[in-house]
Amino acid sequence: VDNFQLYDTGWAPNTVNPQVMQAWTDYHPGTVRIWSNFGNAAQNYSYLSLDSWLTPEIKTINTPGIGNQYEVPAQLEHLPDALANVKTLGANPWLIINMALSETEWGELIDYLSAPAGVGYAAKRPANHPGPYTADFNTIYLEVGNEEWGTQRVPADAAYGQWAHFMISQAIAGKTYFNSKQIKFVVNGFDLEPSFGSAAVAAAPEASVVDDALYTQGDQTLTGDAYYQSDLVQVPASNGPIINAIVAQQQLDAASGRVYGLAAYEEGPGADTPTHSGDTSLAAAIGAIDVNLYASQSGFGPQNLFMYQMGTGPYTSHTNLANGFRPHPVWEALQMRNNYCSGPMVLTNANSVPTSTDGNGYPLIAVYTFQDAKVPNQADVVVLSRDLNNQTPVTLHFPATPTGYAQLY
């Protein structure tokens, strides 16, 4: 028997488990970062050729990619399938483009995403989707590589910006259907060295977004309650100063005429805890949403939780299906942020808040406010406690007397 397929009869073949898809939908992500052209650490960061990536997944199982690396369909969803799922979610796709693709392949990818039906690689779209994908989404983000500041088993790429400029400029040259408002190019920043992203966007003016990682992680020299308390003060202790430095570099560049947006390509507890066993605690969730909201307040655009994955270890969002597929606290916290906090942020002062007694004087209450985008004259207020062991009464003072009702979540 050749070319047979095994699947659960509870749902259509080649589709996502309905329970998994429903949880994903309920999360309401703004962007979904698609890895399948880049690979993952387990596969030594192997990647698919462009032709393989653009072929529906069911037609390419066990098709060798570059370097004879066989794909793992459960991990690497091909682009047509991924884009269909992102459209169903109502999100925008964020594609990582491997650095090994040629300028010709970059141009073919632009055709695939944005050209009129039948033009170049637009002909490779699925039969049920002949038109451009740019019509499906507000924005498609194309990220030039992943962490090209030097983590992917290669040294930092000093010519990264020049490379990005060459690839992008060649890819879009002469394409009158390309629209920079529909497709935005993202270059890698380095959260510990903001000048890296600054130099990249200076060399590649086609890019309009610089991304950084905003992982949260407690003090690994501590254990027990002291460690979890350190989880809670990520903004004042570490991530806040990092975000401030990134924003300061952005503002400095804007003053000299280089204007770009900021985004978080990955965030969340990550490989938290000293043993790198993962941190699915409530403290890790509070630290993560605190950083997410502080970054939003500081002007960051899209932020991507890393990642939607089952298990209890690092980079997980839910328990396994056999254990009930229960969301970890970080998923629940960020889902609340996605569902209930929309619209522009309003700077909120936190007055007379308790501070930590460890000699650092970290504020133990954080408040973030949104002017709701859907309901006129409604404020969405997030109050976070950074105190592990004590409850703190909070009083909200508004600039005008509130009317109507308040909904507490």
PDB file of all heavy atoms in Angstrom, residues 376-408:
ATOM      1  N   PRO A 376     -17.343  53.111  23.275  1.00  0.00           N
ATOM      2  CA  PRO A 376     -17.009  54.527  23.514  1.00  0.00           C
ATOM      3  C   PRO A 376     -16.985  54.850  25.011  1.00  0.00           C
ATOM      4  O   PRO A 376     -17.804  54.362  25.790  1.00  0.00           O
ATOM      5  CB  PRO A 376     -18.144  55.281  22.803  1.00  0.00           C
ATOM      6  CG  PRO A 376     -18.693  54.312  21.812  1.00  0.00           C
ATOM      7  CD  PRO A 376     -18.538  52.955  22.422  1.00  0.00           C
ATOM      8  N   ASN A 377     -16.005  55.664  25.389  1.00  0.00           N
ATOM      9  CA  ASN A 377     -15.904  56.162  26.769  1.00  0.00           C
ATOM     10  C   ASN A 377     -15.726  55.049  27.793  1.00  0.00           C
ATOM     11  O   ASN A 377     -16.085  55.213  28.964  1.00  0.00           O
ATOM     12  CB  ASN A 377     -17.132  57.002  27.135  1.00  0.00           C
ATOM     13  CG  ASN A 377     -17.309  58.190  26.211  1.00  0.00           C
ATOM     14  OD1 ASN A 377     -16.341  58.866  25.855  1.00  0.00           O
ATOM     15  ND2 ASN A 377     -18.551  58.424  25.778  1.00  0.00           N
ATOM     16  N   GLN A 378     -15.172  53.935  27.357  1.00  0.00           N
ATOM     17  CA  GLN A 378     -14.883  52.847  28.302  1.00  0.00           C
ATOM     18  C   GLN A 378     -13.386  52.727  28.509  1.00  0.00           C
ATOM     19  O   GLN A 378     -12.612  52.789  27.558  1.00  0.00           O
ATOM     20  CB  GLN A 378     -15.433  51.516  27.797  1.00  0.00           C
ATOM     21  CG  GLN A 378     -15.061  50.323  28.695  1.00  0.00           C
ATOM     22  CD  GLN A 378     -15.703  49.039  28.248  1.00  0.00           C
ATOM     23  OE1 GLN A 378     -16.926  48.945  28.161  1.00  0.00           O
ATOM     24  NE2 GLN A 378     -14.893  48.023  27.962  1.00  0.00           N
ATOM     25  N   ALA A 379     -12.991  52.554  29.762  1.00  0.00           N
ATOM     26  CA  ALA A 379     -11.588  52.330  30.104  1.00  0.00           C
ATOM     27  C   ALA A 379     -11.393  50.867  30.485  1.00  0.00           C
ATOM     28  O   ALA A 379     -12.205  50.283  31.206  1.00  0.00           O
ATOM     29  CB  ALA A 379     -11.169  53.229  31.262  1.00  0.00           C
ATOM     30  N   ASP A 380     -10.340  50.276  29.967  1.00  0.00           N
ATOM     31  CA  ASP A 380      -9.955  48.917  30.333  1.00  0.00           C
ATOM     32  C   ASP A 380      -8.708  49.033  31.215  1.00  0.00           C
ATOM     33  O   ASP A 380      -7.653  49.467  30.744  1.00  0.00           O
ATOM     34  CB  ASP A 380      -9.645  48.081  29.096  1.00  0.00           C
ATOM     35  CG  ASP A 380     -10.792  48.092  28.092  1.00  0.00           C
ATOM     36  OD1 ASP A 380     -11.951  48.055  28.536  1.00  0.00           O
ATOM     37  OD2 ASP A 380     -10.513  48.133  26.872  1.00  0.00           O
ATOM     38  N   VAL A 381      -8.830  48.656  32.482  1.00  0.00           N
ATOM     39  CA  VAL A 381      -7.754  48.869  33.453  1.00  0.00           C
ATOM     40  C   VAL A 381      -7.210  47.523  33.922  1.00  0.00           C
ATOM     41  O   VAL A 381      -7.976  46.642  34.333  1.00  0.00           O
ATOM     42  CB  VAL A 381      -8.249  49.686  34.666  1.00  0.00           C
ATOM     43  CG1 VAL A 381      -7.088  49.982  35.606  1.00  0.00           C
ATOM     44  CG2 VAL A 381      -8.915  50.973  34.205  1.00  0.00           C
ATOM     45  N   VAL A 382      -5.896  47.368  33.852  1.00  0.00           N
ATOM     46  CA  VAL A 382      -5.230  46.164  34.347  1.00  0.00           C
ATOM     47  C   VAL A 382      -4.412  46.555  35.576  1.00  0.00           C
ATOM     48  O   VAL A 382      -3.560  47.440  35.504  1.00  0.00           O
ATOM     49  CB  VAL A 382      -4.294  45.556  33.283  1.00  0.00           C
ATOM     50  CG1 VAL A 382      -3.622  44.290  33.826  1.00  0.00           C
ATOM     51  CG2 VAL A 382      -5.058  45.252  32.005  1.00  0.00           C
ATOM     52  N   VAL A 383      -4.696  45.901  36.698  1.00  0.00           N
ATOM     53  CA  VAL A 383      -3.950  46.133  37.932  1.00  0.00           C
ATOM     54  C   VAL A 383      -3.204  44.851  38.277  1.00  0.00           C
ATOM     55  O   VAL A 383      -3.815  43.784  38.393  1.00  0.00           O
ATOM     56  CB  VAL A 383      -4.877  46.536  39.099  1.00  0.00           C
ATOM     57  CG1 VAL A 383      -4.055  46.812  40.354  1.00  0.00           C
ATOM     58  CG2 VAL A 383      -5.708  47.759  38.723  1.00  0.00           C
ATOM     59  N   LEU A 384      -1.901  44.930  38.408  1.00  0.00           N
ATOM     60  CA  LEU A 384      -1.069  43.764  38.691  1.00  0.00           C
ATOM     61  C   LEU A 384      -0.402  43.905  40.049  1.00  0.00           C
ATOM     62  O   LEU A 384       0.128  44.974  40.370  1.00  0.00           O
ATOM     63  CB  LEU A 384       0.012  43.600  37.619  1.00  0.00           C
ATOM     64  CG  LEU A 384      -0.454  43.449  36.167  1.00  0.00           C
ATOM     65  CD1 LEU A 384       0.753  43.400  35.228  1.00  0.00           C
ATOM     66  CD2 LEU A 384      -1.308  42.199  35.998  1.00  0.00           C
ATOM     67  N   SER A 385      -0.409  42.840  40.812  1.00  0.00           N
ATOM     68  CA  SER A 385       0.343  42.802  42.060  1.00  0.00           C
ATOM     69  C   SER A 385       1.667  42.099  41.824  1.00  0.00           C
ATOM     70  O   SER A 385       1.708  40.982  41.294  1.00  0.00           O
ATOM     71  CB  SER A 385      -0.441  42.056  43.141  1.00  0.00           C
ATOM     72  OG  SER A 385       0.373  41.887  44.297  1.00  0.00           O
ATOM     73  N   ARG A 386       2.744  42.753  42.200  1.00  0.00           N
ATOM     74  CA  ARG A 386       4.070  42.152  42.113  1.00  0.00           C
ATOM     75  C   ARG A 386       4.530  41.615  43.467  1.00  0.00           C
ATOM     76  O   ARG A 386       5.716  41.327  43.649  1.00  0.00           O
ATOM     77  CB  ARG A 386       5.071  43.191  41.610  1.00  0.00           C
ATOM     78  CG  ARG A 386       4.797  43.717  40.202  1.00  0.00           C
ATOM     79  CD  ARG A 386       5.711  44.869  39.871  1.00  0.00           C
ATOM     80  NE  ARG A 386       5.509  45.392  38.510  1.00  0.00           N
ATOM     81  CZ  ARG A 386       5.803  46.626  38.152  1.00  0.00           C
ATOM     82  NH1 ARG A 386       6.302  47.488  39.047  1.00  0.00           N
ATOM     83  NH2 ARG A 386       5.594  47.027  36.912  1.00  0.00           N
ATOM     84  N   ASP A 387       3.613  41.486  44.393  1.00  0.00           N
ATOM     85  CA  ASP A 387       3.921  41.013  45.743  1.00  0.00           C
ATOM     86  C   ASP A 387       3.467  39.567  45.872  1.00  0.00           C
ATOM     87  O   ASP A 387       2.279  39.260  45.732  1.00  0.00           O
ATOM     88  CB  ASP A 387       3.215  41.887  46.782  1.00  0.00           C
ATOM     89  CG  ASP A 387       3.734  41.666  48.200  1.00  0.00           C
ATOM     90  OD1 ASP A 387       4.151  40.521  48.500  1.00  0.00           O
ATOM     91  OD2 ASP A 387       3.714  42.615  48.989  1.00  0.00           O
ATOM     92  N   LEU A 388       4.396  38.662  46.125  1.00  0.00           N
ATOM     93  CA  LEU A 388       4.082  37.236  46.156  1.00  0.00           C
ATOM     94  C   LEU A 388       3.185  36.857  47.329  1.00  0.00           C
ATOM     95  O   LEU A 388       2.302  36.008  47.191  1.00  0.00           O
ATOM     96  CB  LEU A 388       5.380  36.425  46.209  1.00  0.00           C
ATOM     97  CG  LEU A 388       5.233  34.900  46.145  1.00  0.00           C
ATOM     98  CD1 LEU A 388       4.752  34.469  44.769  1.00  0.00           C
ATOM     99  CD2 LEU A 388       6.553  34.217  46.499  1.00  0.00           C
ATOM    100  N   ASN A 389       3.382  37.478  48.478  1.00  0.00           N
ATOM    101  CA  ASN A 389       2.770  36.981  49.708  1.00  0.00           C
ATOM    102  C   ASN A 389       1.725  37.887  50.342  1.00  0.00           C
ATOM    103  O   ASN A 389       1.048  37.460  51.284  1.00  0.00           O
ATOM    104  CB  ASN A 389       3.871  36.692  50.745  1.00  0.00           C
ATOM    105  CG  ASN A 389       4.789  35.562  50.306  1.00  0.00           C
ATOM    106  OD1 ASN A 389       4.329  34.506  49.913  1.00  0.00           O
ATOM    107  ND2 ASN A 389       6.098  35.806  50.347  1.00  0.00           N
ATOM    108  N   ASN A 390       1.584  39.116  49.867  1.00  0.00           N
ATOM    109  CA  ASN A 390       0.682  40.043  50.540  1.00  0.00           C
ATOM    110  C   ASN A 390      -0.357  40.611  49.587  1.00  0.00           C
ATOM    111  O   ASN A 390      -0.068  40.871  48.421  1.00  0.00           O
ATOM    112  CB  ASN A 390       1.487  41.204  51.159  1.00  0.00           C
ATOM    113  CG  ASN A 390       2.513  40.721  52.159  1.00  0.00           C
ATOM    114  OD1 ASN A 390       2.178  40.182  53.213  1.00  0.00           O
ATOM    115  ND2 ASN A 390       3.792  40.891  51.820  1.00  0.00           N
ATOM    116  N   GLN A 391      -1.559  40.804  50.107  1.00  0.00           N
ATOM    117  CA  GLN A 391      -2.609  41.460  49.348  1.00  0.00           C
ATOM    118  C   GLN A 391      -2.524  42.967  49.560  1.00  0.00           C
ATOM    119  O   GLN A 391      -2.218  43.425  50.662  1.00  0.00           O
ATOM    120  CB  GLN A 391      -3.980  40.953  49.776  1.00  0.00           C
ATOM    121  CG  GLN A 391      -4.226  39.488  49.437  1.00  0.00           C
ATOM    122  CD  GLN A 391      -5.639  39.048  49.754  1.00  0.00           C
ATOM    123  OE1 GLN A 391      -6.395  39.760  50.402  1.00  0.00           O
ATOM    124  NE2 GLN A 391      -6.010  37.864  49.286  1.00  0.00           N
ATOM    125  N   THR A 392      -2.804  43.721  48.509  1.00  0.00           N
ATOM    126  CA  THR A 392      -2.722  45.178  48.581  1.00  0.00           C
ATOM    127  C   THR A 392      -4.034  45.787  48.102  1.00  0.00           C
ATOM    128  O   THR A 392      -4.411  45.604  46.940  1.00  0.00           O
ATOM    129  CB  THR A 392      -1.569  45.703  47.698  1.00  0.00           C
ATOM    130  OG1 THR A 392      -0.345  45.071  48.079  1.00  0.00           O
ATOM    131  CG2 THR A 392      -1.441  47.215  47.836  1.00  0.00           C
ATOM    132  N   PRO A 393      -4.770  46.496  48.968  1.00  0.00           N
ATOM    133  CA  PRO A 393      -5.990  47.187  48.513  1.00  0.00           C
ATOM    134  C   PRO A 393      -5.628  48.268  47.503  1.00  0.00           C
ATOM    135  O   PRO A 393      -4.610  48.956  47.641  1.00  0.00           O
ATOM    136  CB  PRO A 393      -6.559  47.795  49.799  1.00  0.00           C
ATOM    137  CG  PRO A 393      -5.873  47.067  50.913  1.00  0.00           C
ATOM    138  CD  PRO A 393      -4.527  46.680  50.398  1.00  0.00           C
ATOM    139  N   VAL A 394      -6.453  48.410  46.468  1.00  0.00           N
ATOM    140  CA  VAL A 394      -6.190  49.381  45.407  1.00  0.00           C
ATOM    141  C   VAL A 394      -7.429  50.234  45.174  1.00  0.00           C
ATOM    142  O   VAL A 394      -8.556  49.721  45.130  1.00  0.00           O
ATOM    143  CB  VAL A 394      -5.795  48.677  44.088  1.00  0.00           C
ATOM    144  CG1 VAL A 394      -5.710  49.682  42.944  1.00  0.00           C
ATOM    145  CG2 VAL A 394      -4.475  47.940  44.249  1.00  0.00           C
ATOM    146  N   THR A 395      -7.231  51.535  45.049  1.00  0.00           N
ATOM    147  CA  THR A 395      -8.306  52.464  44.709  1.00  0.00           C
ATOM    148  C   THR A 395      -7.977  53.129  43.386  1.00  0.00           C
ATOM    149  O   THR A 395      -6.863  53.632  43.191  1.00  0.00           O
ATOM    150  CB  THR A 395      -8.474  53.556  45.789  1.00  0.00           C
ATOM    151  OG1 THR A 395      -8.743  52.934  47.046  1.00  0.00           O
ATOM    152  CG2 THR A 395      -9.615  54.494  45.433  1.00  0.00           C
ATOM    153  N   LEU A 396      -8.935  53.105  42.465  1.00  0.00           N
ATOM    154  CA  LEU A 396      -8.736  53.716  41.147  1.00  0.00           C
ATOM    155  C   LEU A 396      -9.347  55.111  41.145  1.00  0.00           C
ATOM    156  O   LEU A 396     -10.500  55.299  41.538  1.00  0.00           O
ATOM    157  CB  LEU A 396      -9.389  52.872  40.055  1.00  0.00           C
ATOM    158  CG  LEU A 396      -8.883  51.434  39.891  1.00  0.00           C
ATOM    159  CD1 LEU A 396      -9.675  50.724  38.793  1.00  0.00           C
ATOM    160  CD2 LEU A 396      -7.401  51.416  39.558  1.00  0.00           C
ATOM    161  N   HIS A 397      -8.586  56.103  40.699  1.00  0.00           N
ATOM    162  CA  HIS A 397      -9.064  57.478  40.580  1.00  0.00           C
ATOM    163  C   HIS A 397      -9.097  57.852  39.104  1.00  0.00           C
ATOM    164  O   HIS A 397      -8.060  57.848  38.433  1.00  0.00           O
ATOM    165  CB  HIS A 397      -8.141  58.435  41.346  1.00  0.00           C
ATOM    166  CG  HIS A 397      -8.078  58.162  42.817  1.00  0.00           C
ATOM    167  ND1 HIS A 397      -8.998  58.662  43.714  1.00  0.00           N
ATOM    168  CD2 HIS A 397      -7.204  57.415  43.548  1.00  0.00           C
ATOM    169  CE1 HIS A 397      -8.689  58.255  44.932  1.00  0.00           C
ATOM    170  NE2 HIS A 397      -7.617  57.485  44.853  1.00  0.00           N
ATOM    171  N   PHE A 398     -10.276  58.168  38.591  1.00  0.00           N
ATOM    172  CA  PHE A 398     -10.445  58.523  37.187  1.00  0.00           C
ATOM    173  C   PHE A 398     -10.504  60.045  37.031  1.00  0.00           C
ATOM    174  O   PHE A 398     -10.876  60.758  37.963  1.00  0.00           O
ATOM    175  CB  PHE A 398     -11.726  57.888  36.631  1.00  0.00           C
ATOM    176  CG  PHE A 398     -11.667  56.394  36.538  1.00  0.00           C
ATOM    177  CD1 PHE A 398     -12.098  55.592  37.586  1.00  0.00           C
ATOM    178  CD2 PHE A 398     -11.168  55.780  35.397  1.00  0.00           C
ATOM    179  CE1 PHE A 398     -12.044  54.214  37.505  1.00  0.00           C
ATOM    180  CE2 PHE A 398     -11.106  54.402  35.304  1.00  0.00           C
ATOM    181  CZ  PHE A 398     -11.537  53.614  36.359  1.00  0.00           C
ATOM    182  N   PRO A 399     -10.158  60.559  35.851  1.00  0.00           N
ATOM    183  CA  PRO A 399     -10.199  62.017  35.644  1.00  0.00           C
ATOM    184  C   PRO A 399     -11.611  62.591  35.652  1.00  0.00           C
ATOM    185  O   PRO A 399     -11.795  63.786  35.776  1.00  0.00           O
ATOM    186  CB  PRO A 399      -9.526  62.194  34.281  1.00  0.00           C
ATOM    187  CG  PRO A 399      -9.673  60.879  33.602  1.00  0.00           C
ATOM    188  CD  PRO A 399      -9.610  59.854  34.686  1.00  0.00           C
ATOM    189  N   ALA A 400     -12.612  61.728  35.492  1.00  0.00           N
ATOM    190  CA  ALA A 400     -14.009  62.161  35.547  1.00  0.00           C
ATOM    191  C   ALA A 400     -14.796  61.109  36.310  1.00  0.00           C
ATOM    192  O   ALA A 400     -14.362  59.957  36.419  1.00  0.00           O
ATOM    193  CB  ALA A 400     -14.581  62.353  34.152  1.00  0.00           C
ATOM    194  N   THR A 401     -15.924  61.485  36.846  1.00  0.00           N
ATOM    195  CA  THR A 401     -16.740  60.542  37.611  1.00  0.00           C
ATOM    196  C   THR A 401     -17.280  59.459  36.679  1.00  0.00           C
ATOM    197  O   THR A 401     -17.990  59.758  35.716  1.00  0.00           O
ATOM    198  CB  THR A 401     -17.919  61.264  38.284  1.00  0.00           C
ATOM    199  OG1 THR A 401     -17.403  62.294  39.121  1.00  0.00           O
ATOM    200  CG2 THR A 401     -18.745  60.289  39.106  1.00  0.00           C
ATOM    201  N   PRO A 402     -16.960  58.194  36.950  1.00  0.00           N
ATOM    202  CA  PRO A 402     -17.435  57.115  36.080  1.00  0.00           C
ATOM    203  C   PRO A 402     -18.952  56.972  36.153  1.00  0.00           C
ATOM    204  O   PRO A 402     -19.570  57.225  37.180  1.00  0.00           O
ATOM    205  CB  PRO A 402     -16.741  55.868  36.656  1.00  0.00           C
ATOM    206  CG  PRO A 402     -15.623  56.384  37.503  1.00  0.00           C
ATOM    207  CD  PRO A 402     -16.082  57.705  38.027  1.00  0.00           C
ATOM    208  N   THR A 403     -19.535  56.584  35.044  1.00  0.00           N
ATOM    209  CA  THR A 403     -20.962  56.288  34.993  1.00  0.00           C
ATOM    210  C   THR A 403     -21.141  54.858  34.482  1.00  0.00           C
ATOM    211  O   THR A 403     -20.219  54.269  33.915  1.00  0.00           O
ATOM    212  CB  THR A 403     -21.700  57.252  34.053  1.00  0.00           C
ATOM    213  OG1 THR A 403     -21.140  57.152  32.741  1.00  0.00           O
ATOM    214  CG2 THR A 403     -21.579  58.680  34.557  1.00  0.00           C
ATOM    215  N   GLY A 404     -22.314  54.314  34.661  1.00  0.00           N
ATOM    216  CA  GLY A 404     -22.545  52.961  34.209  1.00  0.00           C
ATOM    217  C   GLY A 404     -22.041  51.950  35.212  1.00  0.00           C
ATOM    218  O   GLY A 404     -22.100  52.183  36.430  1.00  0.00           O
ATOM    219  N   TYR A 405     -21.530  50.848  34.717  1.00  0.00           N
ATOM    220  CA  TYR A 405     -21.120  49.769  35.607  1.00  0.00           C
ATOM    221  C   TYR A 405     -19.665  49.415  35.355  1.00  0.00           C
ATOM    222  O   TYR A 405     -19.069  49.772  34.347  1.00  0.00           O
ATOM    223  CB  TYR A 405     -22.019  48.543  35.401  1.00  0.00           C
ATOM    224  CG  TYR A 405     -21.827  47.875  34.053  1.00  0.00           C
ATOM    225  CD1 TYR A 405     -20.961  46.805  33.908  1.00  0.00           C
ATOM    226  CD2 TYR A 405     -22.519  48.330  32.934  1.00  0.00           C
ATOM    227  CE1 TYR A 405     -20.782  46.196  32.684  1.00  0.00           C
ATOM    228  CE2 TYR A 405     -22.347  47.738  31.695  1.00  0.00           C
ATOM    229  CZ  TYR A 405     -21.478  46.661  31.571  1.00  0.00           C
ATOM    230  OH  TYR A 405     -21.293  46.062  30.366  1.00  0.00           O
ATOM    231  N   ALA A 406     -19.098  48.628  36.283  1.00  0.00           N
ATOM    232  CA  ALA A 406     -17.743  48.124  36.147  1.00  0.00           C
ATOM    233  C   ALA A 406     -17.793  46.591  36.088  1.00  0.00           C
ATOM    234  O   ALA A 406     -18.526  45.964  36.852  1.00  0.00           O
ATOM    235  CB  ALA A 406     -16.874  48.568  37.313  1.00  0.00           C
ATOM    236  N   GLN A 407     -17.041  46.021  35.173  1.00  0.00           N
ATOM    237  CA  GLN A 407     -16.957  44.556  35.043  1.00  0.00           C
ATOM    238  C   GLN A 407     -15.590  44.113  35.547  1.00  0.00           C
ATOM    239  O   GLN A 407     -14.559  44.565  35.038  1.00  0.00           O
ATOM    240  CB  GLN A 407     -17.140  44.144  33.584  1.00  0.00           C
ATOM    241  CG  GLN A 407     -17.005  42.644  33.344  1.00  0.00           C
ATOM    242  CD  GLN A 407     -18.148  41.848  33.960  1.00  0.00           C
ATOM    243  OE1 GLN A 407     -19.296  42.134  33.709  1.00  0.00           O
ATOM    244  NE2 GLN A 407     -17.817  40.870  34.786  1.00  0.00           N
ATOM    245  N   LEU A 408     -15.599  43.235  36.550  1.00  0.00           N
ATOM    246  CA  LEU A 408     -14.344  42.749  37.118  1.00  0.00           C
ATOM    247  C   LEU A 408     -14.035  41.367  36.568  1.00  0.00           C
ATOM    248  O   LEU A 408     -14.883  40.471  36.604  1.00  0.00           O
ATOM    249  CB  LEU A 408     -14.447  42.690  38.646  1.00  0.00           C
ATOM    250  CG  LEU A 408     -13.200  42.172  39.409  1.00  0.00           C
ATOM    251  CD1 LEU A 408     -12.028  43.125  39.198  1.00  0.00           C
ATOM    252  CD2 LEU A 408     -13.531  42.027  40.881  1.00  0.00           C
TER     253      LEU A 408
END
